[in-house]
Amino acid sequence: MERTSLTVVALLVCLSVAVVKGEDPYLFFEWNVTYGTISPLGVPLQGILINGQLPGPRINCTSNNNIVVNVFNHLDEPLLLTWNGVQQRKNSWQDGTPGTMCPIMPGTNFTYRFQVKDQIGSFFYFPTTDLHRAAGGFGGINVHSRALIPVPFDNPADEYNVFVGDWYNKGYKSLKKILDGGRTIGRPDGIHINGKSSKVGDKVAESLFTIEAGKTYRYRFCNVGMRTSVNVRFQGHPMKLVEMEGSHTMQNIYESLDLHVGQCFSVLVTADQEPKDYYMIVSSRFLKQAHLSSVAIIRYANGKGPSSSDLPTPPPENTEGIAWSINQFRSFRWNLTASAARPNPQGSYHYGQINITRTFKIVNSRSEVDGKLRFALNGISHTDADTPFKLAEYFGATEKFFKYDLMADEFQTDLNKVTVAPNIKNGTFRNFVEIIFENREKTIQTYHLDGYSFFAVAIEPGMWSPEKRKNYNLVDAINRHSIQVYPKSWAAVMTTLDNAGLWNLRSEMWERFYLGQQLYFSVLSPARSLRDEYNLPDNHPLCGVVKGMPMPSPYKA
């Protein structure tokens, strides 16, 4: 009897150790970031490649996987990569923005370590330093559901990443010089699809993807451009929308879809037409006095015949086009019965029944400061410091760099009165907040929030007022991380600030981001507990005034 008891105890101890030590799977990547000659629009220029590729390597992973990416910087400039849409739970140390991390210096490497915790969906990475986004350096992050979690559509025959966006032929260093000189970079020169561009009838056009008759394919689209919204469509093939920025959607059918800067979605396309070549078309939206487009060939295996020059009609432009696009936004609905990263249905979180704790009403503006172009939010045009703000907070040195809440929660000043300073907002941990983006300009905007997803509850023309809340979708708005704001319009989103850290709220129009249209939410846990936020990683580089300072007491469980 005694021997049996000891055996049972030993077995239980072993099982306990296995559970404690058990972790979700790890995926390891080694990336070499270099310059290389690229020609997205046929004009050779210096671009940024990862492992010699544009687009860069794809991170193909599963919900809760641990991702380890060792990045070697072979550029002659500092570098950071951010993981657009990955929430980095408790871990803004890995977010890859100038406010949270010291850059990877030339000739050195840094290993990012993060977990795609409780997420599925289509995301992308790109460089946040200087104007590197204009040079490439982007790639896909595809987060799949775990095997035991049902997905609301059959497995496709294959899935393809499609990166689309505008492009400039000046080169990123020339563009940076223009912005530093106080001027705008102006309109782009064209549209690329996966770093290439073609026109209808090009004799040397290669097929982008090959498909087989009767099969269904998943296309993960992301707009990685600098400033231009686009419309995507397939010749002769409708699209079934199934996922948008990490949320399963109601599966509506669309002939064309608008895709704004920084946004991603997934569609299913069935190869059910005559086997031959067909065009995928990507065209610009809301660009005054300019219409840019590019095509790519989708080829049926064993198909015969070239693509027809008869392209599907693009959506309308100008005022009519804005109304068309707003109506399309309103057609997007969260699939309340689908499971997300966990087996519970997406609709089990009743966001519309939570009381709003705080409202931020944010108005963007364009103006000049000392004769140079600047962009601002509520009159504050953000500027970075030599020491990342997250490190300054952690080391207790914030007074050297910034003041919290320099920007008011609600716009109160003259649009032409702009202060250039770090824009850091205090966000109370676990508050349920409403963010209103009001765009009084004549150009479309897109915003993204790191560290979170939010419910995109409304977009309407005109100016926001509290009575507009009666028009909110409080039942099945898409849970996502970016939102477009049309000219002379507003957009409203809601989220719970339950992810401790320092998180960038930014314009995805990179000229605007570079010249100040961004802020950081500082969400601190009063408990200073590892339950809420991880400690500074051992491999995290130190820079600025915190370099050489004594390490703070670490957070405890």
Side-chain angles (χ1 to χ4, degrees), residues 401-532:
F401 300 103
F402 64 90
K403 294 180 180 179
Y404 291 103
D405 297 322
L406 194 61
M407 186 191 88
D409 283 10
E410 186 166 342
F411 180 70
Q412 298 172 336
T413 60
D414 183 349
L415 278 172
N416 294 315
K417 185 180 179 182
V418 171
T419 299
V420 179
N423 195 357
I424 316 295
K425 290 291 293 179
N426 261 316
T428 306
F429 190 47
R430 293 184 177 146
N431 268 10
F432 186 71
V433 302
E434 170 189 52
I435 306 174
I436 311 299
F437 299 100
E438 193 171 275
N439 179 16
R440 301 180 186 177
E441 298 185 58
K442 296 179 180 179
T443 56
I444 193 169
Q445 312 287 320
T446 310
Y447 291 95
H448 164 86
L449 177 60
D450 279 353
Y452 297 93
S453 57
F454 48 61
F455 293 96
V457 295
I459 293 178
E460 287 189 358
M463 297 177 68
W464 183 86
S465 57
E467 59 267 22
K468 298 290 186 180
R469 291 188 179 117
K470 69 179 183 295
N471 299 334
Y472 286 5
N473 176 359
L474 297 180
V475 177
D476 58 357
I478 299 287
N479 190 232
R480 55 190 304 182
H481 58 75
S482 70
I483 187 72
Q484 70 270 22
V485 194
Y486 297 92
K488 304 294 183 179
S489 301
W490 58 269
V493 304
M494 294 174 165
T495 193
T496 302
L497 298 180
D498 60 354
N499 191 13
L502 191 79
W503 304 108
N504 191 221
L505 173 67
R506 60 176 175 264
S507 169
E508 283 288 313
M509 278 69 170
W510 219 243
E511 173 185 55
R512 289 176 171 267
F513 169 87
Y514 185 81
L515 294 181
Q517 196 168 313
Q518 56 169 309
L519 60 83
Y520 285 89
F521 278 116
S522 173
V523 183
L524 296 174
S525 165
R528 288 182 61 87
S529 168
L530 288 174
R531 178 194 63 204
D532 301 325

